[in-house]
Amino acid sequence: MPGIIVDGVVTEEAPNEVNSSQNKDNLSAPRSPVASKSMHSEALEMHVEGSGAGEPSIEQLYNNVCEMESSSEGGSPSRESFGSDGEESRIDSELRHLVAGEMEAMKVIEEEEVEESGNAANAVAAAENGTPVKAQSSNSSKKSSRKAAKSQLESDASAGPNGKASTEEGETEVSKPGNRVGRRRKASANPQNGSEDAGLSNPDLGPFLLKHARDLIASDNPRRALKYALRATKSFEKCAGGKPSLNLVMSLHVVAAIYCNLGKYEEAVPVLQRSLEIPVIEEGQEHALAKFSGCMQLGDTYGMLGQTARSLQWYASGLEIQKQTLGERDPRVGETCRYLAEAHVQALQLDEAQRLCQMALDIHRENGEPASLEETADRRLMGLICDTKGDHEAALEHLVMASMAMVANGQETEVASVDCSIGDIYLSLGRYDEAVFAYQKALTVFKTSKGENHATVASVFVRLADLYNKTGKLRESKSYCENALKIYQKPIPGTSLEEIATGLTDVSAIYETMNEHEQALKLLQKALKMYNNSAGQQSTIAGIEAQMGVLYYILGNYGEAYDSFKSAIAKLRTCGEKKTAFFGVALNQMGLACVQRYSINEAAELFEEARAVLEQEYGPYHPDTLGVYSNLAGTYDAMGR
């Protein structure tokens, strides 16, 4: 995602191409306009502010404190800490209370969560068995009390003046009932003993906790990382004192990224909305770019939720802020224009996508060298847009220029991806021999660079199968389909489920044209399972379900067809795609299933809605619209109207 705030300063990063090689090769299974992995990794690439020259870092000091504690437990005298003359220095004392205290508090919270989850499980089991839940024994309560008190005593032992142990506080803690929460209540009652409020007001604590959150994300532990990030946010908020703080904005962006990493996109939305309220554009460029970054991240999140309209709206808001801040001809604005163009392509808003892509191309030609990497990426996207709009000659021109630039830059693998796109255009133009040559050229490169069992090799097999199917060579077509399925059924490690599902959908379409409907249906069912009702793939899932409905209808299973269409249409309504031509076609198909089930009134309602949508999208004389007119007339006749 372009634009990350690092230590209160926004650094601009070029928006990643949204799975460019896959999206540009195939539009049959549109995906959310978001590079989720890119968004998460970029939002978390942050660093902790360094200490002044010659001063130890917070992490060094904390490690030193831990060494002191471990040596004191063994009865040996404490080592001298950094900047200490043998006694507890001021910084060591503060660190013991503020940092080590925070770390210990986090451990206690986690222990309590484990206990609560265990108690909840016991309660559920007891309820199922019809037996009452027994209270925890006093012995175990006392044991946990002693452990908590011992830990607190070790933490506070050297907190007294001149490093002397404060035994009175420790004895008081031991004498209290065995409740871990009691230790935290005690801490909050006395700020000098590492209270939560005092810890959060330490300006060094927020960066320290965010660093640990980043480390936990790197070690694939996002749930613990979320706890640290939330506490860091509280610390930054307390230190800000109600004033606009870029550190707080950065922390909120990280929290939202972790929520997205956990699949909790709904919870990320209010966090990002709050981050947009903090920056004041009039305060300078850093605040403006912080707001731009939040808009783009919010657009990504709405995209993962399948809310395309809101996603595009926030992308547009971010672009306007970036233009006002950096100027309309800045190269970074060009990168954002291409990012938005890709999003509009996936939303099938091709005119707006072409306008934005042309803006990006003009900006990069102005600011960069001829045949630069940025211009090459723009031309690849423009070729895809022109091809989708049916302007195959213009698409071929853009892709050939992009291929020549890549050859000059030594990007052989990327050239192979462009060759696949060139083959697609030759296929659309009916120039089959040239299409075969382009596909075979790409296939040779992919086998050499990626291996013969790579999913990219399978995608070329699917293209060749489609080509031979269209030229009537069914034996060759089926052979290439089988080769592709062998790779998809035993994918190499690292292959995404989405890539496999897309491939299965494409092969299913070829089998359908061969009238092998049952085989096509099995492949679609496998693809549907791989998506697992993902929140960010609702539009794609709806497309698969609609196609399954068509196959069920052809096979005479009208009940299953009705259920598939109903589920697909519900998802399309939720995603905000109820005004697209695809939605109108799906309504018409569901109406036909209702006719076969003798639900005439429901069929009439569906045909009427389909007519309104298709008249708006296609006009009254399009074949699909005329088909709906015919179906609606037959339904009215059956109803006696």
Side-chain angles (χ1 to χ4, degrees):
M1 184 194 69
I4 306 300
I5 309 174
V6 181
D7 296 336
V9 179
V10 178
T11 62
E12 281 296 305
E13 297 188 15
N16 293 335
E17 294 185 42
V18 186
N19 296 329
S20 58
S21 62
Q22 298 174 14
N23 289 341
K24 293 164 187 166
D25 290 347
N26 180 15
L27 272 181
S28 61
R31 289 174 288 177
S32 164
V34 62
S36 59
K37 293 182 180 178
S38 172
M39 176 184 71
H40 299 159
S41 62
E42 291 178 8
L44 294 172
E45 285 297 326
M46 38 173 262
H47 303 280
V48 182
E49 292 183 0
S51 302
E55 295 181 2
S57 67
I58 293 294
E59 189 173 10
Q60 287 174 319
L61 290 170
Y62 175 64
N63 291 337
N64 185 59
V65 171
C66 293
E67 290 178 4
M68 291 175 60
E69 290 181 350
S70 62
S71 63
S72 63
E73 288 173 4
S76 60
S78 298
R79 299 179 185 177
E80 293 186 2
S81 62
F82 289 103
S84 171
D85 57 356
E87 297 181 350
E88 287 281 334
S89 65
R90 180 183 62 81
I91 186 66
D92 283 331
S93 178
E94 289 180 357
L95 191 64
R96 181 180 302 280
H97 292 301
L98 300 180
V99 178
E102 289 293 322
M103 300 291 288
E104 182 64 24
M106 291 300 295
K107 292 178 182 178
V108 172
I109 292 173
E110 290 169 4
E111 289 176 1
E112 290 173 353
E113 289 179 349
V114 171
E115 277 193 0
E116 289 173 0
S117 62
N119 292 337
N122 292 336
V124 171
E128 291 176 351
N129 296 330
T131 57
V133 181
K134 294 183 179 180
Q136 189 178 12
S137 65
S138 59
N139 291 336
S140 62
S141 176
K142 291 178 181 178
K143 186 179 294 185
S144 62
S145 169
R146 288 169 187 150
K147 287 183 179 178
K150 181 180 179 182
S151 176
Q152 177 68 18
L153 188 60
E154 290 171 352
S155 176
D156 293 341
S158 56
N162 300 325
K164 295 181 180 179
S166 177
T167 55
E168 293 180 1
E169 292 180 0
E171 291 170 358
T172 304
E173 182 67 14
V174 172
S175 63
K176 289 183 178 180
N179 187 352
R180 285 188 175 91
V181 182
R183 188 176 71 203
R184 297 185 66 203
R185 289 174 180 168
K186 171 182 175 292
S188 62
N190 189 351
Q192 293 182 352
N193 289 331
S195 75
E196 186 174 352
D197 289 342
L200 293 177
S201 62
N202 179 14
D204 293 327
L205 183 61
F208 177 79
L209 292 174
L210 275 182
K211 178 183 181 300
H212 276 278
R214 184 196 63 183
D215 293 340
L216 288 168
I217 283 290
S219 61
D220 197 21
N221 195 345
R223 296 189 183 279
R224 287 192 64 198
L226 180 60
K227 296 178 183 179
Y228 284 101
L230 288 172
R231 291 184 71 81
T233 301
K234 292 180 181 179
S235 177
F236 284 130
E237 187 173 14
K238 191 170 183 65
C239 293
K243 298 179 181 179
S245 168
L246 293 182
N247 281 331
L248 178 57
V249 175
M250 171 189 67
S251 183
L252 290 170
H253 288 177
V254 173
V255 170
I258 297 174
Y259 275 133
C260 290
N261 193 7
L262 293 169
K264 300 179 179 180
Y265 303 109
E266 294 87 354
E267 297 183 37
V269 169
V271 175
L272 290 170
Q273 289 174 338
R274 181 187 172 199
S275 74
L276 292 173
E277 299 172 356
I278 298 172
V280 180
I281 296 180
E282 293 76 13
E283 292 288 331
Q285 188 179 92
E286 292 181 357
H287 281 259
L289 293 180
K291 195 159 190 173
F292 157 77
S293 179
C295 287
M296 299 301 290
Q297 192 171 348
L298 187 56
D300 290 339
T301 306
Y302 275 125
M304 292 303 296
L305 287 170
Q307 300 181 26
T308 307
R310 288 187 177 181
S311 175
L312 296 177
Q313 178 184 353
W314 282 107
Y315 286 148
S317 299
L319 178 61
E320 289 303 316
I321 293 172
Q322 193 183 39
K323 282 182 179 179
Q324 295 173 8
T325 306
L326 303 176
E328 294 192 356
R329 311 308 291 180
D330 190 279
R332 290 168 288 183
V333 174
E335 295 290 335
T336 306
C337 286
R338 186 172 69 237
Y339 191 79
L340 266 67
E342 291 174 346
H344 282 283
V345 167
Q346 294 181 16
L348 298 180
Q349 299 178 9
L350 300 179
D351 291 335
E352 182 65 14
Q354 188 171 16
R355 184 186 71 83
L356 288 166
C357 190
Q358 188 62 51
M359 285 176 56
L361 186 58
D362 294 340
I363 292 172
H364 288 141
R365 280 192 298 191
E366 253 183 49
N367 294 280
E369 299 178 357
S372 64
L373 296 178
E374 291 79 10
E375 182 181 342
T376 301
D378 296 337
R379 289 196 179 279
R380 290 183 65 182
L381 180 58
M382 185 64 81
L384 172 66
I385 296 170
C386 292
D387 184 34
T388 308
K389 293 183 71 175
D391 191 356
H392 304 303
E393 296 292 346
L396 188 60
E397 179 184 352
H398 282 292
L399 290 176
V400 169
M401 293 181 68
S403 178
M404 293 170 60
M406 289 178 175
V407 170
N409 292 322
Q411 298 175 291
E412 294 183 2
T413 304
E414 292 297 321
V415 171
S417 299
V418 175
D419 285 337
C420 285
S421 300
I422 292 174
D424 294 340
I425 296 175
Y426 282 137
L427 181 60
S428 300
L429 293 171
R431 297 160 63 174
Y432 300 118
D433 292 339
E434 292 169 285
V436 171
F437 177 78
Y439 289 148
Q440 292 291 356
K441 182 182 174 184
L443 186 62
T444 302
V445 174
F446 284 139
K447 283 184 176 180
T448 304
S449 60
K450 296 179 178 294
E452 295 191 356
N453 294 321
H454 197 274
T456 311
V457 174
S459 70
V460 182
F461 285 151
V462 174
R463 284 179 164 87
L464 287 166
D466 185 35
L467 186 151
Y468 285 120
N469 181 50
K470 289 180 177 178
T471 56
K473 298 179 180 180
L474 300 183
R475 181 179 298 177
E476 290 86 346
S477 176
K478 189 172 292 187
S479 175
Y480 278 114
C481 283
E482 291 171 355
N483 290 337
L485 289 176
K486 288 178 182 178
I487 296 175
Y488 289 136
Q489 288 170 358
K490 294 182 179 180
I492 62 174
T495 306
S496 67
L497 292 178
E498 183 180 349
E499 189 173 3
I500 298 173
T502 301
L504 293 176
T505 304
D506 294 338
V507 176
S508 171
I510 297 173
Y511 276 120
E512 184 180 351
T513 61
M514 295 179 181
N515 293 324
E516 296 190 15
H517 300 120
E518 292 183 356
Q519 177 67 11
L521 185 58
K522 290 179 182 178
L523 293 175
L524 287 178
Q525 289 170 341
K526 288 182 180 179
L528 191 62
K529 288 181 180 179
M530 288 183 179
Y531 281 115
N532 195 25
N533 203 27
S534 172
Q537 303 289 347
Q538 293 298 295
S539 179
T540 304
I541 294 171
I544 294 175
E545 288 178 337
Q547 192 59 34
M548 289 174 62
V550 171
L551 292 172
Y552 279 129
Y553 186 90
I554 293 172
L555 293 171
N557 194 340
Y558 303 118
E560 293 287 347
Y562 175 82
D563 292 338
S564 294
F565 285 128
K566 185 176 181 180
S567 177
I569 288 172
K571 289 182 174 64
L572 291 173
R573 291 186 193 277
T574 304
C575 295
E577 297 187 20
K578 56 185 178 180
K579 293 184 179 180
T580 61
F582 176 71
F583 182 71
V585 172
L587 288 170
N588 182 54
Q589 295 287 348
M590 185 175 176
L592 291 174
C594 288
V595 170
Q596 295 295 334
R597 299 174 75 242
Y598 303 104
S599 301
I600 305 300
N601 291 330
E602 184 178 0
E605 294 176 0
L606 292 167
F607 288 142
E608 288 170 352
E609 187 177 0
R611 179 185 63 180
V613 173
L614 293 177
E615 283 180 344
Q616 179 69 29
E617 294 297 315
Y618 284 156
Y621 303 113
H622 191 276
D624 289 342
T625 310
L626 294 174
V628 174
Y629 290 159
S630 176
N631 295 333
L632 189 56
T635 306
Y636 285 154
D637 182 55
M639 297 171 66
R641 292 168 61 180

